[in-house]
């Protein structure tokens, strides 16, 4: 009974914090303390629980530097004019008769380059929503396409925090995982594109807003040179250069452009790198081009560290061993994938963040994958094809709540995020169901 009460109280705390917009770290820490109190009551020693928490948190240390670098990349790209240039050139190729399709493809490209769904939605996503705002078309269609594209890169970009976290947790190679994600995501991507193509033809959009175009031109003077930091990331990814090195090089190039082309001082650049980019002068872009920074990512770091600590405690105490009994019934790859998808959905609903959902799911299913002689690469790609894309479909999960809020939409757009549904469904269908794993 005490476990059920703790589970319910933790869930209420996390959902309340998410819906009220409070920093979820505090609710997560409170949940961790609740679990520790219950486990102490059940006879576990505090010293042992702290060791379990440290062992769990230690798994996140390798990804902490990457998370901080992602914050620095986003802010320096904005300062250099790289993100504004991506938006500017993206607008140039927009065809009203293919708007919804291009919204998906453009956000997919930007998210692949910068590796963050929030950053993608907060830049090109908002720009696309502004462009479509004067049209009679249902804005949920556009928001759903943007959300799909934003998680294309969040799933398989070398700069994605979730991709790096899963590679770290499963002890697999990031670029091997990316290759597997491309293979398993290609057909869903094509099918999604076809759906958005049909919807684009049925609901063409009349683009009349030119303010964004002129403001980008006046403020940043976009030109191909400004795309160099993004191009470097792409080229180095092709050659499988370690992602941390790629990001450091990109930050260096963006910093040079910011100082010598955009005329920002070194102190301003350092401020933006730490606290995030913002425009000093009044501009319609002020609410669009903002964010990034290492301090902002430090909040994500805190969530990751506490999440891994809690996941370590839950895993090593075997307090959720009833789930293992459920997993033991999976005898084929299809059954195991279905079980992983179910656990990922529950974890995403309970954890309220993509990070917690990934950690809980990985901790709960890993032993079953090992017992069935499935390697860590299979576990990694299955996590990417379930919990990573399911999390943004949970209305109160931050992975979906933040992008929807940024897009000035509501949860009515979630049914139109077809890519997020097709990834797990396609992979479930194509898993062998007759071949026994034991």
């Amino acid at each position: 009974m005490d476990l059920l009460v703790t589970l319910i109280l933790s869930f209420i705390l996390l959902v309340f914090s998410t819906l009220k917009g409070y920093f979820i770290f505090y609710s997560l820490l409170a949940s961790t303390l609740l679990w520790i109190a219950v486990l102490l009551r059940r006879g576990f020693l505090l010293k042992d629980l702290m060791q379990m928490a440290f062992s769990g948190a230690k798994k996140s240390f390798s990804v902490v530097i990457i998370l901080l670098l992602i914050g620095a990349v986003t802010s320096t790209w904005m300062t250099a004019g790289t993100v504004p240039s991506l938006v500017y050139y993206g607008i140039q190729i927009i065809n009203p008769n293919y708007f919804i399709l291009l919204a998906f493809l453009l956000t997919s490209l930007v998210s692949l380059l910068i590796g963050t769904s929030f950053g993608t939605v907060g830049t090109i996503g908002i720009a696309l929503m502004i462009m479509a705002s004067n049209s009679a078309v249902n804005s949920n269609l556009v928001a759903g396409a943007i959300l799909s594209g934003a998680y294309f890169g969040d799933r398989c970009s070398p700069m994605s925090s979730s991709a790096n976290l899963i590679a770290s947790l499963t002890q697999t190679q990031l670029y091997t995982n990316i290759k597997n994600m491309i293979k398993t995501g290609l057909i869903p991507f094509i099918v999604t594109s076809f759906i958005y193509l049909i919807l684009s033809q049925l609901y063409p959009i009349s683009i009349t807003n030119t303010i964004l175009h002129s403001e980008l031109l006046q403020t940043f003077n976009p030109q191909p040179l400004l795309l160099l930091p993004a191009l470097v990331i792409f080229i180095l990814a092709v050659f499988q250069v370690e992602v941390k090195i790629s990001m450091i090089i990109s930050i260096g190039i963006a910093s040079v452009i910011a100082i010598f082309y955009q005329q920002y001082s070194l102190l301003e650049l350092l401020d933006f790198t730490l606290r995030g980019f913002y425009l000093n002068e009044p501009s319609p872009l002020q609410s669009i081009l903002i964010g990034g920074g290492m301090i902002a990512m430090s909040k994500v770091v805190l969530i990751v560290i506490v999440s891994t600590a809690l996941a370590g405690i839950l895993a090593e105490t075997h307090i959720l061993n009833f789930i293992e009994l459920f997993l033991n019934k999976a005898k084929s790859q299809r059954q195991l994938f279905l079980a992983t998808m179910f656990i990922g959905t529950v974890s995403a609903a309970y954890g309220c963040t993509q990070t917690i959902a990934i950690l809980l799911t990985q901790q709960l299913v890993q032993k079953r994958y090992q017992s069935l002689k499935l390697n860590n690469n299979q576990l990694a790609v299955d996590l990417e094809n379930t919990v990573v894309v399911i999390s943004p479909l949970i209305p109160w999960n931050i992975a979906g709540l933040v992008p929807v809020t940024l897009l000035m939409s509501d949860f009515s757009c979630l049914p139109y995020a077809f890519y997020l549904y097709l990834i797990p469904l396609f992979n479930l269908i194509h898993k062998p169901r007759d071949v026994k794993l034991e």
Side-chain angles (χ1 to χ4, degrees):
M1 178 61 72
D2 56 350
L3 294 180
L4 180 60
V5 171
T6 303
L7 193 66
I8 293 173
L9 284 176
S10 298
F11 180 74
I12 292 173
L13 277 172
L14 292 167
V15 172
F16 177 79
S17 178
T18 302
L19 295 180
K20 289 294 184 180
Y22 301 142
F23 185 26
I24 201 168
F25 167 78
Y26 300 119
S27 295
L28 185 58
L29 183 60
S31 297
T32 303
L33 295 175
L34 278 174
W35 280 107
I36 289 175
V38 169
L39 291 168
L40 287 173
R41 183 173 175 272
R42 285 190 163 226
F44 288 92
L45 298 177
L46 181 60
K47 180 181 69 172
D48 293 336
L49 292 175
M50 291 297 101
Q51 182 59 45
M52 294 174 192
F54 179 76
S55 297
K58 190 166 61 175
K59 294 181 180 180
S60 71
F61 293 167
S62 62
V63 82
V64 164
I65 294 176
I66 293 176
L67 289 170
L68 295 175
L69 285 173
I70 289 172
V73 166
T74 304
S75 57
T76 54
W77 279 21
M78 288 189 180
T79 311
T82 304
V83 171
S85 294
L86 288 169
V87 175
Y88 177 82
Y89 288 115
I91 291 173
Q92 307 304 306
I93 65 172
I94 291 291
N95 184 318
N97 294 319
Y98 301 98
F99 187 89
I100 298 174
L101 171 62
L102 290 173
F104 171 61
L105 296 178
L106 281 172
T107 50
S108 295
L109 175 61
V110 174
S111 66
L112 184 63
L113 289 171
I114 67 177
T116 162
S117 56
F118 293 176
T120 300
V121 168
T123 53
I124 189 69
I126 292 178
L128 290 164
M129 289 297 287
I130 291 173
M131 293 170 63
S133 61
N134 293 329
S135 175
V137 72
N138 185 350
S139 62
N140 290 323
L141 286 174
V142 180
I146 292 170
L147 191 63
S148 287
Y151 275 94
F152 172 81
D154 187 89
R155 174 177 171 270
C156 62
S157 168
M159 285 179 40
S160 165
S161 58
S162 63
N164 280 280
L165 179 61
I166 286 177
S168 174
L169 291 173
T170 59
Q171 298 180 341
T172 52
Q173 293 295 320
L174 175 64
Y175 289 107
T176 300
N177 293 344
I178 289 175
K179 288 179 182 177
N180 291 332
M181 283 185 274
I182 291 173
K183 290 178 183 177
T184 56
L186 181 59
I187 293 179
F189 183 85
I190 293 172
V191 173
T192 301
S193 298
F194 182 71
I195 294 173
Y196 288 137
L197 173 62
I198 295 174
L199 290 173
S200 297
Q201 296 293 305
L202 292 175
Y203 305 102
I205 289 178
S206 175
I207 301 175
T208 59
N209 194 313
T210 59
I211 295 176
L212 187 64
H213 179 276
S214 60
E215 287 293 330
L216 287 170
L217 191 61
Q218 179 180 342
T219 306
F220 293 97
N221 191 21
Q223 60 173 284
L225 171 67
L226 306 189
L227 299 176
L228 186 58
L231 184 62
V232 165
I233 286 285
F234 179 76
I235 293 173
L236 294 178
V238 170
F239 287 97
Q240 298 189 7
V241 175
E242 186 181 356
V243 67
K244 286 184 285 189
I245 296 175
S246 300
M247 286 191 281
I248 290 171
I249 293 173
S250 179
I251 290 169
I253 294 172
S255 298
V256 171
I257 295 174
I259 293 172
F260 292 101
Y261 183 82
Q262 301 293 355
Q263 300 298 307
Y264 285 106
S265 68
L266 180 59
L267 287 178
E268 286 177 313
L269 176 64
L270 290 174
D271 180 54
F272 292 150
T273 303
L274 288 173
R275 297 199 299 154
F277 179 77
Y278 56 91
L279 287 171
N280 291 311
E281 300 297 326
S283 168
L285 300 176
Q286 275 186 323
S287 61
I288 298 175
L289 294 174
I290 185 172
M294 298 176 75
I295 292 177
M297 290 305 294
S298 67
K299 294 182 177 180
V300 181
V301 168
L302 287 175
I303 292 172
V304 169
I305 290 174
V306 177
S307 299
T308 47
L310 176 58
I313 291 173
L314 295 177
E316 294 191 40
T317 56
H318 302 287
I319 208 70
L320 300 177
N321 59 353
F322 65 91
I323 295 179
E324 292 183 11
L325 297 177
F326 166 72
L327 282 169
N328 288 338
K329 296 180 180 179
K331 303 299 183 181
S332 70
Q333 288 192 42
R334 177 176 290 189
Q335 291 173 356
L336 183 57
F337 184 84
L338 183 61
T340 302
M341 188 163 63
F342 173 76
I343 292 171
T345 302
V346 174
S347 298
Y350 171 75
C352 297
T353 73
Q354 187 189 64
T355 300
I356 301 173
I358 291 170
L359 292 163
L360 284 177
T361 305
Q362 181 265 336
Q363 289 280 2
L364 292 170
V365 306
Q366 185 168 18
K367 286 185 180 179
R368 187 55 180 163
Y369 274 78
Q370 292 172 347
S371 68
L372 296 176
K373 304 290 189 291
L374 291 171
N375 61 35
N376 286 345
N377 289 327
Q378 186 63 61
L379 171 61
V381 74
D382 282 356
L383 290 173
E384 293 283 2
N385 290 335
T386 53
V387 64
V388 169
V389 292
I390 288 172
S391 292
L393 294 174
I394 306 296
W396 55 84
N397 192 295
I398 285 178
L401 180 64
V402 172
V404 167
T405 303
L406 287 172
L407 293 174
M408 297 165 288
S409 183
D410 56 37
F411 302 116
S412 300
C413 73
L414 294 181
Y416 301 104
F418 300 112
Y419 182 70
L420 303 182
Y421 295 97
L422 289 175
I423 285 285
L425 290 177
F426 170 81
N427 283 278
L428 175 64
I429 292 170
H430 282 78
K431 289 288 184 182
R433 65 177 178 178
D434 298 323
V435 179
K436 301 298 180 181
L437 295 173
E438 290 185 321

